[in-house]
Amino acid sequence: MFAVTIDQRGSRRDGDRVPDLLRALEERWPGIVADSTVARPSGCVRGFERTVGDEVQAVLEDAGLVVEIVSWVLRHGGWSVGIGAGRVDEPLPPNARAASGPAFVLAREAVEAAKSRQRVVPLAVRGAHHQAGLDAESVLTLVAATAARRSAAGWEAIDALEAAGPDVRQEDVAAAMGVSQQAVSQRLRTALYDESRTAARAAAHLLVSAQG
C-alpha cells in the first residue's frame, strides 16, 4: 500500500489552500476525495482528506496512480509530498486519518524530508524496502524537475494530447490546436514527453518494490 501525504508550503503567507487542493483533485480524479459523492477510482483505497493543519492524506494501492497524482501536485506547486510504501494495519478504518501502520510512519518521515530547503523538488519517498524507496524518489524527482522546465507551449501540447485519449493521432491534436503536426511533434520532443512517460513507469515499478 501507499500512504500519500501532501502538506502545504508557505501557509502563513498564502492562507489555507487545502479546500482548493481537494476540489482540484476531485475534478481531476472524480471520487478521489474522501467525502466525494461518486465511487472511488480504481486504485484508491481511502480518498484524500485533511488530516492535521494544512495537510491531506490518502491510501492508494496503484503505484501508477500514485505517480500521476504526485506529478500533478508537483506541477502545480506549493506543496511538499511524502510517499510511504509499505504495510497498513488491517482492517482499514473508513478514512485515512484514522488509519495506521508502517506505511503511514514512512509517509510522515517522507513528507518531513520533502520540506528540506535543500531539495530541488519537494518530494520524498520512504519504503519498507529502503533502497527501492530512495530509487523511486530519484526517478520521480527527475520526472518532476523535467516537467518544471517545460514551456507553456510544451504543456499546451501535452495537455491536449492527454485530454484527447490514448488512441488520438498527433495530426488531430494539431488540428484542434490550430498548429501543424510538426509543431506538435517538436513541442513534445522539446518537453521530453516520451522520455518522461518511460521514467514515470519506472518510478511506479520501483514504488511497487519499495513496499517490501
Side-chain angles (χ1 to χ4, degrees):
M1 292 284 188
F2 306 100
V4 179
T5 302
I6 304 172
D7 191 41
Q8 184 177 340
R9 299 167 66 88
S11 56
R12 292 183 180 179
R13 179 186 67 248
D14 300 331
D16 184 5
R17 296 175 54 219
V18 166
D20 293 337
L21 174 64
L22 291 174
R23 280 193 295 270
L25 284 168
E26 179 68 14
E27 182 178 347
R28 177 65 180 81
W29 293 276
I32 203 76
V33 172
D35 61 359
S36 176
T37 58
V38 302
R40 287 194 298 266
S42 176
C44 176
V45 179
R46 295 292 184 270
F48 280 99
E49 63 179 335
R50 187 193 295 267
T51 50
V52 293
D54 302 321
E55 179 182 282
V56 302
Q57 189 172 63
V59 182
L60 307 171
E61 60 183 357
D62 184 330
L65 181 60
V66 172
V67 171
E68 286 182 25
I69 292 172
V70 167
S71 298
W72 181 89
V73 170
L74 292 171
R75 171 185 173 181
H76 291 83
W79 304 91
S80 298
V81 180
I83 303 170
R87 183 178 59 81
V88 300
D89 291 343
E90 302 280 359
L92 273 172
N95 52 63
R97 185 173 59 250
S100 60
F104 295 93
V105 176
L106 292 165
R108 172 53 50 201
E109 294 176 3
V111 79
E112 291 303 323
K115 296 176 185 178
S116 170
R117 293 185 178 180
Q118 297 178 344
R119 289 179 178 262
V120 174
V121 176
L123 162 76
V125 181
R126 296 292 181 269
H129 188 297
H130 182 67
Q131 189 58 53
L134 295 181
D135 291 344
E137 176 184 307
S138 296
V139 178
L140 279 171
T141 297
L142 180 60
V143 170
T146 299
R149 293 173 177 268
R150 287 174 179 154
S151 66
W155 276 119
E156 182 185 18
I158 290 170
D159 290 340
L161 184 67
E162 294 185 344
D167 298 324
V168 69
R169 300 181 305 166
Q170 285 190 15
E171 293 88 340
D172 297 329
V173 172
M177 293 175 60
V179 299
S180 68
Q181 187 274 331
Q182 289 80 7
V184 170
S185 181
Q186 179 60 46
R187 292 185 191 188
L188 294 175
R189 283 198 301 272
T190 302
L192 297 177
Y193 177 64
D194 288 335
E195 293 81 359
S196 292
R197 293 180 69 197
T198 300
R201 288 194 293 271
H205 287 304
L206 287 166
L207 284 176
V208 172
S209 298
Q211 295 175 101

